[in-house]
Amino acid sequence: EFEYGITDRLELGLYVVYVPSPAEYTSVAPMTEVTGAKQRLRYVFADPGEWPIDVGVYGELVEGDTEVEFEGKILLQRRIGKLRIDTNLWAEYELLVGSSQRDVVLNPTLGATYELTPAVHLGAEGWMRAEFSDRAPSPLPFALRPAVYVGPAMLFNFGKLWWSTGLYARVTEVDYTMQAGDP
């Protein structure tokens, strides 16, 4: 990923993504990422804290080996002292390469982090993935059903270099028993 600040409020991101995809997995349920290139613009409307809620927008174009995708997000954030609460209202429109299939994917997120020190932030996050396809099988296999994930997150901030990670557990259909052929 390469990010470039065009202005103080507008950022360009360029990505190259490689995703190994074993055929036995993708024939059952495709990966959520594809090998290809991505370009995105992110714009924030005001400096952090200037408005009661920080507001931004995000647009991304993906040219992948299996799909072309248009992604949009509304970014909302509120800081209260060392606590930060944010949500990304996120949707995708996917066109599958070599097919007339069209998918709409919703991926809303919600998270909160607390700054223990300027270099260490702890938090909790949750996100949902719901895919709506004009060619969805019926009934939907487990891997393609709407799902919600939650878990702890951690950020280490070293100035111009930072690292963020999270560990998530699926909290929908937790009593599901995996079947032969499930990814």
Side-chain angles (χ1 to χ4, degrees):
E1 174 180 348
F2 173 76
E3 295 178 355
Y4 178 73
I6 297 171
T7 71
D8 289 346
R9 294 195 178 141
L10 180 63
E11 176 185 273
L12 170 68
L14 303 172
Y15 306 70
V16 176
V17 180
Y18 173 70
V19 180
S21 301
E24 66 274 9
Y25 177 78
T26 55
S27 65
V28 178
M31 301 288 286
T32 59
E33 286 289 332
V34 297
T35 296
K38 298 181 181 186
Q39 307 82 45
R40 70 154 170 84
L41 289 171
R42 180 173 57 184
Y43 182 79
V44 293
F45 291 97
D47 291 334
E50 189 174 324
W51 293 1
I53 296 177
D54 300 329
V55 180
V57 291
Y58 176 113
E60 181 175 276
L61 173 64
V62 177
E63 302 95 8
D65 57 347
T66 60
E67 69 184 24
V68 174
E69 175 185 303
F70 304 94
E71 180 178 308
K73 296 180 187 179
I74 298 172
L75 311 170
L76 304 173
Q77 175 179 268
R78 172 79 171 139
R79 293 179 191 220
I80 305 165
K82 294 184 175 193
L83 176 69
R84 180 184 351 203
I85 302 167
D86 62 33
T87 186
N88 295 332
L89 306 176
W90 173 4
E92 303 171 9
Y93 182 69
E94 301 173 346
L95 309 166
L96 274 64
V97 173
S99 168
S100 61
Q101 183 173 337
R102 307 290 185 254
D103 296 341
V104 172
V105 180
L106 302 178
N107 291 305
T109 69
L110 178 64
T113 60
Y114 187 80
E115 180 183 318
L116 296 176
T117 72
V120 179
H121 302 237
L122 293 179
E125 299 178 334
W127 54 279
M128 180 191 83
R129 180 168 178 88
E131 188 169 330
F132 305 94
S133 175
D134 61 355
R135 296 197 181 170
S138 183
L140 281 175
F142 175 73
L144 293 179
R145 293 182 200 150
V148 175
Y149 297 84
V150 297
M154 195 174 227
L155 169 78
F156 297 101
N157 184 349
F158 306 105
K160 291 186 178 190
L161 178 66
W162 53 270
W163 177 55
S164 177
T165 190
L167 179 65
Y168 305 101
R170 184 171 175 159
V171 295
T172 50
E173 298 186 75
V174 294
D175 57 346
Y176 179 80
T177 302
M178 297 295 285
Q179 305 296 316
D182 279 350

